[in-house]
Amino acid sequence: MRPSRLLAAVLVSLTFLAGPAWAGEKNPHQRGPDPTLASIQAEKGPFEVSKVTVPAGSATGFNRGTIYYPTSTAEGRFGGVVVIPGFTEPESTMSWYGPRLASQGFVIFTLEPNSVLDFPDSRADQMGAALDYLTGNSAVKDRVDSGRLAAMGHSMGGGGSLRLAQKRPALKAAIPLAPWHIEGNWSDVKVPTMIFGSDNDFIAPVALHASPFYDRLGSPEKAYPLLKNAGHMQYIVPNTTVAQYGISWLKRFVDDDTRYSQFLCPPPAPNAQIAQYKDTCPV
């Protein structure tokens, strides 16, 4: 190995061993009790949740939506996540993510697209505008940590979350759900990204979308759960597997909470829910 490469490898190893700046102290972004497999699979997390409707015309750049948030602020501000549906889908198809993720300690903003026919890049712009509104003008702006934001979307909304991660490298995480996009090379995306795929997806076949998107991601932290015996529309109804891995990813990278690394690494072996799982352990 060349000396320069050896030095670089040593520095990376030392950085990993040292951990974040708060190593040895309580993580200031940690929210909620110590997690268990049962707690991340549960329909309701440890936080009570309230919601506020954001009507059309509240801000420019997006249509309307619903914000779900932990009622208590005793533990401080929370990370914010915007969620947008796919082609022809209304906001209601993403509504189950709102209370489920918010009850784990996040502020979740589910969106109604400007048009259900919007393509991924338009959805990316709408998600960006929604995050700006969430942290700048929303009724819950004082509950959101503007430095800890993430994007999540289904189908063309998943493609939009990839595009937003490309345009906003300061995002802490992205979770594309069965993403669809005409672009295939995401090597300049450095945001920690978990891409979900479905083995029976005939709308966004994983061989053309989710799998090569994952392979070409530039992020050093990435994962690819492939759902078993699942189709493209698996994500519009409550799904325990999607919830447990999605929650763990958001906790690990939005909250820097290494308590959740145990649910991501080592990766799961193929089972009744997961046909394949690719990743970059350790996380």
Side-chain angles (χ1 to χ4, degrees):
M1 180 181 290
R2 296 165 113 183
S4 59
R5 292 185 179 178
L6 177 60
L7 177 60
V10 170
L11 289 174
V12 169
S13 298
L14 290 175
T15 300
F16 176 78
L17 291 172
W22 41 264
E25 302 175 2
K26 182 180 178 181
N27 173 8
H29 307 315
Q30 178 177 306
R31 301 290 181 266
D34 289 344
T36 64
L37 181 60
S39 75
I40 61 173
Q41 291 181 336
E43 293 184 12
K44 183 179 182 300
F47 294 91
E48 294 297 325
V49 173
S50 299
K51 68 177 181 178
V52 59
T53 299
V54 180
S58 297
T60 59
F62 67 91
N63 186 357
R64 57 182 173 82
T66 308
I67 300 173
Y68 302 82
Y69 59 95
T71 304
S72 172
T73 58
E75 295 193 39
R77 294 187 174 190
F78 300 92
V81 186
V82 64
V83 185
I84 199 166
F87 193 68
T88 75
E89 298 170 7
E91 178 198 359
S92 59
T93 60
M94 298 288 100
S95 62
W96 75 271
Y97 293 96
R100 191 148 183 172
L101 298 181
S103 71
Q104 295 286 346
F106 298 99
V107 176
I108 308 297
F109 192 0
T110 59
L111 291 181
E112 178 75 24
N114 288 335
S115 166
V116 294
L117 304 180
D118 287 334
F119 275 68
D121 290 358
S122 173
R123 292 169 192 263
D125 292 339
Q126 293 169 50
M127 285 191 284
L131 285 175
D132 292 341
Y133 171 80
L134 183 65
T135 58
N137 298 296
S138 74
V140 299
K141 64 181 181 181
D142 292 337
R143 298 173 181 266
V144 186
D145 184 341
S146 62
R148 296 190 293 120
L149 303 176
M152 187 175 189
H154 177 234
S155 192
M156 287 194 181
S161 66
L162 278 169
R163 179 68 80 199
L164 187 63
Q166 182 186 60
K167 296 173 70 173
R168 295 198 179 194
L171 290 180
K172 295 300 184 183
I175 304 181
L177 307 165
W180 186 100
H181 204 292
I182 59 172
E183 184 169 324
N185 188 354
W186 302 97
S187 60
D188 54 350
V189 172
K190 307 302 182 184
V191 173
T193 301
M194 173 174 276
I195 298 180
F196 280 88
S198 296
D199 61 355
N200 291 330
D201 191 337
F202 301 108
I203 296 175
V206 294
L208 299 176
H209 295 273
S211 183
F213 290 177
Y214 170 85
D215 291 339
R216 296 165 187 164
L217 275 173
S219 174
E221 298 93 6
K222 58 183 182 177
Y224 170 67
L226 178 65
L227 300 188
K228 189 173 184 177
N229 298 324
H232 188 69
M233 306 309 290
Q234 185 68 58
Y235 306 89
I236 69 173
V237 294
N239 183 290
T240 298
T241 302
V242 173
Q244 77 174 72
Y245 287 105
I247 289 166
S248 297
W249 197 258
L250 293 173
K251 283 289 191 178
R252 175 61 187 85
F253 293 105
V254 174
D255 289 355
D256 287 325
D257 196 336
T258 54
R259 296 180 300 169
Y260 289 80
S261 295
Q262 62 182 306
F263 307 115
L264 300 168
C265 190
N271 55 50
Q273 291 76 40
I274 300 290
Q276 181 186 16
Y277 192 101
K278 297 189 282 188
D279 70 301
T280 54
C281 278
V283 294

